[in-house]
Amino acid sequence: MDLLNTLVDKGLRRELPTREEALAVLATSDDELLDVVAAAGKVRRQWFGRRVKLNYLVNLKSGLCPEDCSYCSQRLGSTAGILKYTWLKPDEASQAAAAGVAGGAKRVCLVASGRGPTDRDVDRVSQTIEAIKEQNEGIEVCACLGLLSAGQADKLRTAGADAYNHNLNTSEATYGEITTTHTYADRVDTVQQAQAAGLSACSGLIAGMGETDEDLVDVVYALRDLDSDSVPVNFLIPFEGTPLAKEWNLTPQRCLRILAMVRFVCPDVEVRIAGGREVHLRSMQPLGLHLANSIFLGDYLTSEGQAGKTDLDMIADAGFEVEGAGTVTLPEHRADAIAAAGCGSHAGGGAGGCGSHGEGGGGCGPCGSSQPAASSVPAQAESARAGAAGDEASEVRTDLVAVRRRGAGTDLAPNA
């Protein structure tokens, strides 16, 4: 297929596809799916080989969020039966992180619900970061605390944070339809603050909220312009008790096409399969590894993932290998840019300077956190062809969504 040959050539050269080409990937048929995966897989292997980076979520503060992000189980007004608790103590959070590291995670993602942290919160998280770094040599730490105020990114960087997650989630044109308590511009500003402080930017999207193909392409191009080093791709998990409990607009095939499109547009960045992986890709998860080079290990923020050992077996069975702590994830040209940013500015900041869904952003749920959605976004125009799950769309699928009842905030052992 000429389209795929063109996209592979561009991906190997780090050349941006046209919008029409990106949209064409989403419009491919199921008969063409394996060809799409194979083509995007060539780009993935060029920049990341067969390595898979493992990330581990620690939910520092769950639920009780004042923001109204419609995709989030922790949002204001949510009746989802999730765990709710206030801040973990630094030693508790460090112990929770240790479980993920022991399971093979290279990066620990510290997440807290809420609009954004107070300075006292930043001090608390800084203590946690320092404790994790002291006990685990070579482990990366990504913070996801919502909207940042002036100077807070610098404090996190000084404490040892390597990255900051704050997802754009959806296109700028539709953002106001899913959240009213903060703006798309607020999110962009927080990512830029993190970059200016020398933190690696982790920012991604949520698919399945009723968006069009054009919305998906818009947000991925925005992430490319923002120069996000890590792009978590979340797939909406419709929780029972949220307004979108009956919205099942994704199939495994649709998810794979979305991941392929992201890889073609962002060929040399860490593409992470985040929240909703088990729910929507299901038995086709191994194919996703040919497109993404990063996943979360074990559970998410408010929902349970598959067993950590199953994740590791899946990686091995698919012919991939877990990326070690001593390996630099990003290609040399991007890793060098991050190193240069340690002086205070993000080299290559593009036009703008990590479950649930979306690490951060109003604080309600990071990438991988499997949060619910309660969106007023209109139904996807071509849902019948592009992945709506047919009869499933009229039902609440409690069989596919399991609320997290173990790990952080409980007395039960974590899944890692």
Side-chain angles (χ1 to χ4, degrees):
M1 169 183 277
D2 289 342
L3 168 67
L4 297 179
N5 290 333
T6 297
L7 288 171
V8 169
D9 289 342
K10 288 186 173 182
L12 299 182
R13 299 194 304 266
R14 293 189 289 136
E15 181 180 336
L16 186 66
T18 66
R19 286 181 53 84
E20 290 72 22
E21 289 167 341
L23 287 167
V25 173
L26 297 178
T28 53
S29 69
D30 287 350
D31 289 341
E32 299 166 313
L33 182 61
L34 289 180
D35 292 330
V36 172
V37 171
K42 291 179 181 179
V43 178
R44 180 248 200 268
R45 289 192 298 276
Q46 164 72 18
W47 299 111
F48 300 96
R50 304 192 72 81
R51 294 177 283 115
V52 177
K53 181 176 181 178
L54 297 180
N55 309 266
Y56 189 69
L57 284 165
V58 178
N59 197 353
L60 298 177
K61 181 167 74 76
S62 182
L64 311 173
C65 185
E67 300 296 288
D68 68 355
C69 304
S70 61
Y71 50 79
C72 183
S73 58
Q74 304 183 75
R75 72 189 294 268
L76 179 69
S78 170
T79 60
I82 62 170
L83 291 171
K84 297 179 181 180
Y85 52 87
T86 190
W87 288 94
L88 297 180
K89 295 178 181 179
D91 62 330
E92 295 173 327
S94 181
Q95 290 175 13
V101 174
K106 178 178 178 177
R107 172 175 287 192
V108 173
C109 303
L110 303 176
V111 188
S113 63
R115 178 177 177 84
T118 64
D119 288 342
R120 181 182 179 185
D121 294 335
V122 170
D123 290 341
R124 187 197 327 259
V125 175
S126 294
Q127 293 175 35
T128 300
I129 294 171
E130 292 167 352
I132 292 173
K133 291 278 188 171
E134 288 176 2
Q135 297 170 17
N136 304 281
E137 183 178 357
I139 293 301
E140 301 172 4
V141 176
C142 179
C144 173
L145 311 174
L147 301 173
L148 293 174
S149 301
Q152 291 183 330
D154 293 299
K155 290 181 179 179
L156 292 169
R157 174 67 172 165
T158 299
D162 300 283
Y164 195 83
N165 170 271
H166 202 64
N167 292 340
L168 297 187
N169 290 328
T170 192
S171 69
E172 183 175 11
T174 59
Y175 193 83
E177 298 179 52
I178 64 167
T179 303
T180 66
T181 47
H182 61 270
T183 67
Y184 180 91
D186 291 332
R187 286 184 174 269
V188 171
D189 177 70
T190 285
V191 176
Q192 292 174 331
Q193 286 192 53
Q195 290 173 322
L199 293 168
S200 175
C202 176
S203 188
L205 65 142
I206 307 171
M209 297 193 293
E211 70 282 338
T212 64
D213 284 0
E214 288 75 12
D215 290 321
L216 285 172
V217 170
D218 281 349
V219 69
V220 175
Y221 272 71
L223 291 166
R224 164 96 178 209
D225 288 342
L226 197 56
D227 203 24
S228 179
D229 297 308
S230 175
V231 176
V233 180
N234 295 277
F235 301 112
L236 177 70
I237 300 181
F239 270 57
E240 185 178 13
T242 66
L244 290 190
K246 296 182 180 181
E247 292 298 320
W248 291 83
N249 298 318
L250 297 169
T251 63
Q253 295 84 356
R254 171 70 168 169
C255 294
L256 290 172
R257 280 191 285 267
I258 292 170
L259 288 168
M261 185 270 288
V262 174
R263 175 55 72 197
F264 285 130
V265 177
C266 305
D268 60 340
V269 309
E270 177 187 345
V271 176
R272 182 183 312 151
I273 313 177
R277 165 167 62 95
E278 297 89 343
V279 173
H280 293 293
L281 280 170
R282 301 191 287 277
S283 62
M284 295 179 74
Q285 290 180 65
L287 282 180
L289 298 178
H290 290 271
L291 308 169
N293 62 296
S294 181
I295 64 171
F296 279 101
L297 176 72
D299 292 337
Y300 302 97
L301 294 182
T302 60
S303 73
E304 294 187 351
Q306 65 187 19
K309 184 179 184 304
T310 301
D311 287 334
L312 298 176
D313 289 344
M314 175 183 71
I315 292 169
D317 289 347
F320 293 88
E321 60 184 23
V322 173
E323 182 175 291
T327 302
V328 177
T329 300
L330 296 173
E332 185 176 357
H333 60 275
R334 292 197 69 90
D336 288 346
I338 296 175
C343 297
S345 64
H346 188 279
C354 128
S356 156
H357 309 62
E359 280 188 29
C364 289
C367 63
S369 89
S370 75
Q371 329 216 32
S375 172
S376 59
V377 178
Q380 182 156 323
E382 56 174 349
S383 59
R385 185 206 64 74
D391 293 340
E392 289 183 2
S394 63
E395 302 176 357
V396 174
R397 296 297 306 276
T398 56
D399 59 314
L400 293 178
V401 180
V403 174
R404 181 175 69 85
R405 301 295 183 199
R406 59 195 174 192
T410 77
D411 294 327
L412 300 178
N415 171 29

